[in-house]
């Protein structure tokens, strides 16, 4: 893709589909509480949707009971110990 | 429930709105604040925050929905990848419904292409590991909330020696479009509600140019309704007290320095493109993230020849002005009629974080004695 290429018009653009909240539109964040440390970069963590595998490569340390903010399967920050269920949205 | 109840407390909300009303009245002028993040857009519509604010305070919706800003040409490139023999294309759910110039990834799947929805790029890598006879492409979109996960995945693919996997990177940075918006002549903004979760990665310091060069404040905010309302109050209080700076409302999550490990990994795995096309905003210098040279063999754009065509938005679609904050969703000619979440014409109607979808879902539900902001949609449809 570059800026010098000619622009062509679009034709039909309808995408039938169910009305739904986004499954993940990549900016959905979920708070998760670690229930098991699997290895040095993987934990099992409980979210509002159940227990799932979360990558923790980007965190310095992680232990059972810690709360983390997860985007796209990866914890991007740790959270204070209170059970704060922030999510976006 | 802690951190929900107190951030949705109606009494606290009313008190904050009263303070906002007083602060705005004391300035005797109008204020136009842009929320950057699609999550904030969703919160604002879902909780009716626009209707609670006094008339002088206007919210405009920015380009922070990552699905919404992907130009149609990039979707066409993904469709091209999905059509290649032996390729499995993986994508987040919402991207499956975003229209390209002729079809969507869902259409391609229905037509026989191997297109699969994943929740994480790590899931896509797992598919590649399980199915070594397929080449698995991950259609990567998103801001600095999601690019760290892609970076972790590329690092993992390298460590595991998986070579039947590549990433079609459409990751973007949040700061360059903010500068582009500030230099556009049509918007006269008085402040930003800064993105909460992007800031957990990049921190608050990259926003410092906004008060320094453009003399307007930014307040990073969380996603509960009182987070957003408090951020608006903090913006107005800066005007009241003669300050102009970057402030952090979301201190319970965001640190000023961000996540240094994530920043370091992003530097290692990605490189900044000279320019990248954004739907509605055009070409923005240094806003796109391509895969860096050490990971070139995992870059779909180098492993495949892509059409790389630029595609004009459909004439009826006004996502561009909506994404620039100069048009409200309901002012678009096809909003709620030809363009609905079931049959989206534009990207803003696809994702729940898109301003049009959020307004369609929540903004139409107003009390009967208020003026109808959406005359094109019948009352029956509005009550669905």
């Amino acid at each position: 893709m570059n800026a010098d290429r000619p622009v062509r018009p679009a034709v039909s653009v309808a995408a039938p589909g169910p009305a739904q909240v986004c499954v993940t539109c990549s900016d959905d964040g979920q708070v998760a509480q670690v229930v098991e440390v699997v290895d040095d970069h993987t934990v099992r963590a409980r979210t509002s949707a159940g227990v799932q595998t979360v990558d923790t490569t980007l965190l310095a340390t992680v232990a059972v009971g810690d709360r983390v903010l997860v985007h796209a399967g990866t914890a991007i920050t740790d959270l204070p110990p209170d059970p704060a269920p922030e999510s976006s949205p | 429930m802690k951190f929900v109840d107190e951030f949705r407390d109606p009494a606290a909300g009313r008190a904050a709105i009263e303070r906002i009303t007083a602060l705005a009245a004391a300035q005797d002028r109008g204020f136009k604040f842009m929320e950057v993040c699609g999550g904030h857009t969703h919160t604002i519509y879902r909780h009716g925050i626009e209707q609670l604010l006094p008339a002088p305070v206007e919210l405009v919706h920015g380009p922070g929905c990552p699905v919404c800003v992907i130009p149609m040409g990039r979707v066409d490139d993904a469709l091209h990848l999905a059509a290649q023999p032996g390729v499995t294309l993986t994508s987040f759910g919402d991207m499956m419904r975003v229209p390209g110039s002729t079809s969507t990834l869902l259409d391609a799947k229905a037509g026989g292409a191997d297109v699969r929805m994943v929740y994480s790029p790590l899931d896509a890598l797992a598919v590649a590991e399980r199915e070594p006879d397929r080449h698995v492409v991950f259609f990567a979109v998103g801001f600095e909330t999601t690019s760290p996960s892609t970076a972790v995945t590329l690092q993992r693919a390298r460590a595991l020696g998986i070579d039947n996997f590549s990433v079609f990177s459409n990751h973007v940075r949040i700061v360059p479009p903010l500068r582009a918006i500030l230099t556009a002549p049509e918007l006269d903004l008085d402040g930003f509600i800064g993105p909460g979760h992007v800031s957990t990665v990049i921190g608050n310091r990259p926003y410092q140019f906004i008060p320094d060069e453009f003399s307007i404040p930014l307040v990073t905010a969380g996603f509960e309704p009182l987070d957003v309302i408090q951020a608006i109050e903090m913006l107005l209080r800066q005007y009241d007290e003669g300050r102009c700076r970057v402030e952090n409302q979301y201190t319970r999550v965001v640190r000023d320095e961000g996540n240094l490990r994530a920043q370091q990994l992003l530097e290692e795995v990605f490189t900044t493109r000279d320019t990248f096309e954004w739907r509605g905003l055009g070409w923005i210098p240094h806003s796109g993230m391509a895969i860096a040279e050490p990971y070139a063999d995992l870059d779909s754009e180098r492993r495949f020849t892509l059409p790389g065509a630029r595609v004009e938005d459909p004439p009826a679609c006004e996502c561009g002005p909506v994404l620039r904050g100069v048009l409200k969703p309901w002012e678009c000619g096809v909003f709620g009629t030809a363009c609905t979440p079931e049959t989206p014409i534009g990207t803003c109607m696809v994702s729940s974080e898109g301003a049009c979808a959020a307004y369609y879902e929540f903004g139409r539900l107003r009390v009967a004695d208020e003026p109808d902001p959406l005359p094109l949609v019948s009352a029956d449809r509005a009550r669905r």
Side-chain angles (χ1 to χ4, degrees), chain B residues 343-365:
Chain B
T343 55
I345 291 176
T347 48
C348 297
M349 190 58 94
V350 175
S351 166
S352 70
E353 293 191 2
C356 296
Y359 189 82
Y360 188 91
E361 187 70 21
F362 302 112
R364 301 167 306 142
L365 306 176

Side-chain angles (χ1 to χ4, degrees), chain A residues 1-29 41 55 57-60 69 71-80 82-89, chain B residues 1-4 42 64 66-67 72 74 76 92 94 97 100-102 104 117 119-122 141 143 145-146 148-149 152 156 197 200 223 250 252-253 255 259 261 276 283 307-312 314 342 344 351-353:
Chain A
M1 184 174 69
N2 69 62
D4 299 326
R5 285 178 182 262
V7 177
R8 63 181 166 83
V11 289
S12 169
V13 284
Q20 58 188 10
V21 297
C22 61
V23 177
T24 172
C25 93
S26 65
D27 253 358
D28 255 358
H41 56 71
D55 190 281
T57 301
L58 302 177
L59 304 183
L69 179 65
H71 270 263
T74 299
I76 59 171
T77 192
D78 49 8
L79 295 170
D82 285 315
E86 298 91 352
S87 66
S88 157
Chain B
M1 187 183 293
K2 188 163 176 59
F3 283 171
V4 166
H42 188 93
V67 171
M72 294 177 86
R74 299 294 281 187
D76 281 359
F92 292 133
D94 274 3
R97 299 177 55 232
S101 60
T102 58
T104 68
M117 188 187 80
Y119 292 91
S120 160
L122 288 161
V141 302
F143 291 93
T145 45
T146 316
S149 187
V152 165
R156 189 71 40 78
H197 290 171
T200 63
F223 296 94
Y250 204 25
R252 64 189 189 278
V253 175
R255 301 181 182 99
N259 183 331
R261 278 175 176 249
F276 193 72
W283 294 83
R310 298 176 60 203
V311 182
E312 204 172 51
E342 289 85 358
S351 166
S352 70
E353 293 191 2

Side-chain angles (χ1 to χ4, degrees), chain B residues 194-317:
Chain B
H197 290 171
V198 163
S199 304
T200 63
V201 173
I202 68 172
N204 287 316
R205 292 168 186 156
Y207 308 127
Q208 191 55 45
F209 76 97
I210 296 173
D212 287 352
E213 297 179 33
F214 297 92
S215 301
I216 68 169
L218 177 145
V219 175
T220 302
F223 296 94
E224 294 297 334
L226 283 188
D227 286 325
V228 175
I229 291 171
Q230 187 181 27
I232 294 166
E233 182 183 351
M234 289 169 72
L235 286 166
L236 287 168
R237 201 164 292 286
Q238 289 200 36
Y239 279 93
D240 188 61
E241 297 173 358
R243 292 180 285 115
C244 180
R245 62 190 193 194
V246 174
E247 291 184 338
N248 184 8
Q249 182 275 336
Y250 204 25
T251 52
R252 64 189 189 278
V253 175
V254 174
R255 301 181 182 99
D256 278 347
E257 71 277 15
N259 183 331
L260 299 177
R261 278 175 176 249
Q263 292 168 26
Q264 190 175 14
L265 187 60
L266 290 177
E267 284 295 314
E268 176 192 325
V269 171
F270 291 104
T271 183
T272 302
R273 299 177 194 268
D274 290 340
T275 187
F276 193 72
E277 186 179 14
W278 292 58
R279 195 166 191 177
L281 298 172
W283 294 83
I284 301 180
H286 313 304
S287 63
M289 300 166 75
I291 293 169
E293 195 60 39
Y295 293 85
D297 57 315
L298 299 172
D299 182 355
S300 306
E301 291 184 80
R302 300 191 214 201
R303 290 182 71 144
F304 298 89
T305 302
L306 299 180
R310 298 176 60 203
V311 182
E312 204 172 51
D313 282 347
C317 176

Side-chain angles (χ1 to χ4, degrees), chain B residues 144-155:
Chain B
E144 289 95 335
T145 45
T146 316
S147 49
S149 187
T150 303
V152 165
T153 303
L154 286 166
Q155 195 183 48

